[in-house]
Amino acid sequence: MVFNLQGKVALITGGARGLGFQFAKELLKNGVRGITISDCDPVEGSTAAETLNKEFGRGKVIFIKTDVTDKKQFEGLNFPEAFQKTVEVFNNVDILINNAGIMNDAIWEEEIAVNVNGVVHGMLLGFDKYLKNFKSDDEAVILNMSSVGGIKGYGHVPVYVATKFAVTGMVKSWSYPTHYERTKVRVIGLCPGATDTTLQVMEGKYIGPEYEDSIKDIPVEQFVIQPAEFVASEMVKLLMNSKNGTMWVVEGSKPAYEYIIPERETFKNNRL
Ligand SMILES: NC(=O)c1ccc[n+]([C@@H]2O[C@H](COP(=O)([O-])OP(=O)(O)OC[C@H]3O[C@@H](n4cnc5c(N)ncnc54)[C@H](O)[C@@H]3O)[C@@H](O)[C@H]2O)c1
C-alpha cells in the first residue's frame, strides 16, 4: 500500500541545509502540509524556513532550534519542544527524518553524540511517543539517515562509518514486527553515496593525516558526487513505497536500490 504524502506533517532534524533542506522542499512539492525544521543552527534554520514559506505559502514550515545531542535539552526543552510545537501548530506528526549528522573523526566523540545518540533520541521521542500518538492516518514513517558508509567500511573515516553502521542497526531492530504492531510506525533507512553538501568538505576532519591516505584504497567511481536534489526525489519515493525495515542506497544519481543483509546462516560453509 502506498503511503500518501498529501496533507501529512513532517519533522526533519538537520533540515537547515544540505540533504535535510532538500528533503523539506521535495516533501512540500509532494503535498505535505506542514514541516518542522529542527536544527542547531539558528541562522540557517530560520533562513531555510523563510525561503520555503516564500515558495510554498506562509505557515507551511516552522523552525525550532534543536541540538539532538543534548539529552537534558532533549528531555527538558529542546527536541521534545520540536515535537510539541509540531503537534501544537499542525495537530499531527506523520513523518520523522532523523537526518542531522556530521562527518568529522577529528572530534569523534561529538560525532558519535550527533550521529548515534541523536538518532536514538529521535527514535525514543518519535517512535515511542509522538508519531505513535499523533499520526493523522493509519501509519507513520521514520526515515533514518545511514550512508554507503553504514554498509561498508571506509579506512579514512572509521568512526563516521561506525556511527552509520549503528544507524543501520537501529533500522533493523526498531522495525521488528512487534514494534510495528504496537506503534504502526514504519522504519526505513537511506544510504546515500557522496552527495554535494558541506559534509563533503573534509579539511581537518580526519583522526590524523595518515588516515586521509586511506582514500586511495577506494575506487574513484565511488566518489562521483550527486546533487542533494536527486537524493531528495528518491527519498520521497521510499517514504511512499518501501517496506518496513528496508535499507536503500542512492548513489551516482541513479535510482534507489535495496541493500539486503543476507541471513548469516547462508555463510555457514565459509569456515577457516
Ligand atoms: N553528503 C553526503 O555525501 C552524505 C552521504 C551519506 C550520508 N549523509 C548523511 O546525510 C545527513 C545530512 O548530511 P548533509 O550532507 O546534508 O550535511 P550538512 O552538513 O549539509 O547538513 C547537516 C545539518 O545537520 C545539522 N546538525 C549538525 N549537528 C546537529 C545537532 N547536534 N543537532 C541538530 N542539527 C545538527 C547542521 O546544522 C546542518 O544543517 C547526515 O546524517 C549525513 O551523515 C550525507
Side-chain angles (χ1 to χ4, degrees):
M1 211 178 68
V2 177
F3 180 82
N4 187 3
L5 295 174
Q6 290 290 327
K8 296 281 162 63
V9 177
L11 190 157
I12 305 172
T13 69
R17 62 165 189 253
L19 281 159
F21 178 75
Q22 291 305 328
F23 291 166
K25 200 168 176 173
E26 198 63 28
L27 285 173
L28 288 163
K29 279 193 206 159
N30 282 274
V32 161
R33 110 179 118 85
I35 291 194
T36 299
I37 287 179
S38 95
D39 199 289
C40 62
D41 186 327
V43 177
E44 284 198 86
S46 315
T47 309
E50 224 174 273
T51 308
L52 293 171
N53 278 325
K54 265 196 195 130
E55 188 174 343
F56 294 96
R58 285 271 140 228
K60 292 247 174 192
V61 180
I62 60 170
F63 168 66
I64 306 289
K65 184 173 176 285
T66 307
D67 180 351
V68 298
T69 68
D70 190 332
K71 190 140 193 297
K72 230 167 92 200
Q73 276 191 328
F74 213 96
E75 285 177 346
L77 293 162
N78 200 287
F79 207 179
E81 190 190 323
F83 282 96
Q84 273 155 26
K85 279 266 155 59
T86 306
V87 169
E88 258 170 57
V89 173
F90 301 115
N91 297 319
N92 302 104
V93 55
D94 303 288
I95 300 162
L96 167 64
I97 306 184
N98 282 316
N99 164 77
I102 60 173
M103 176 157 65
N104 191 341
D105 275 14
I107 49 163
W108 58 266
E109 282 144 317
E110 190 179 331
E111 188 180 41
I112 291 171
V114 179
N115 297 4
V116 181
N117 299 6
V119 180
V120 174
H121 293 161
M123 293 307 294
L124 297 179
L125 285 164
F127 188 83
D128 281 320
K129 190 170 177 190
Y130 284 93
L131 274 73
K132 175 172 171 255
N133 296 324
F134 293 97
K135 56 185 169 311
S136 58
D137 217 334
D138 297 342
E139 188 184 71
V141 57
I142 297 179
L143 183 136
N144 287 338
M145 285 299 277
S146 183
S147 163
V148 288
I151 55 179
K152 175 187 163 61
Y154 288 113
H156 61 298
V157 281
V159 183
Y160 177 76
V161 162
T163 66
K164 292 300 174 179
F165 266 74
V167 174
T168 300
M170 290 189 227
V171 172
K172 289 292 163 193
S173 306
W174 256 295
S175 57
Y176 260 50
T178 44
H179 289 314
Y180 181 80
E181 281 314 310
R182 72 183 173 82
T183 59
K184 297 286 188 279
V185 180
R186 190 160 46 101
V187 184
I188 59 175
L190 177 55
C191 303
T195 306
D196 189 14
T197 71
T198 54
L199 188 106
Q200 289 290 336
V201 181
M202 285 300 290
E203 278 77 27
K205 293 184 179 169
Y206 300 98
I207 296 177
E210 62 277 32
Y211 281 78
E212 188 170 354
D213 289 348
S214 174
I215 289 181
K216 291 180 199 140
D217 296 332
I218 304 166
V220 283
E221 61 271 19
Q222 292 193 10
F223 286 108
V224 178
I225 306 260
Q226 61 192 349
E229 289 85 343
F230 180 80
V231 182
S233 63
E234 290 300 298
M235 187 284 298
V236 158
K237 295 181 203 162
L238 298 176
L239 283 185
M240 291 169 68
N241 298 305
S242 65
K243 289 208 176 89
N244 190 25
T246 53
M247 301 284 306
W248 298 85
V249 176
V250 177
E251 60 181 337
S253 300
K254 302 253 172 57
Y257 63 89
E258 188 179 352
Y259 178 78
I260 299 167
I261 302 173
E263 290 298 332
R264 66 176 173 279
E265 289 77 15
T266 59
F267 302 112
K268 68 179 190 299
N269 294 325
N270 300 350
R271 312 257 179 210
L272 258 182

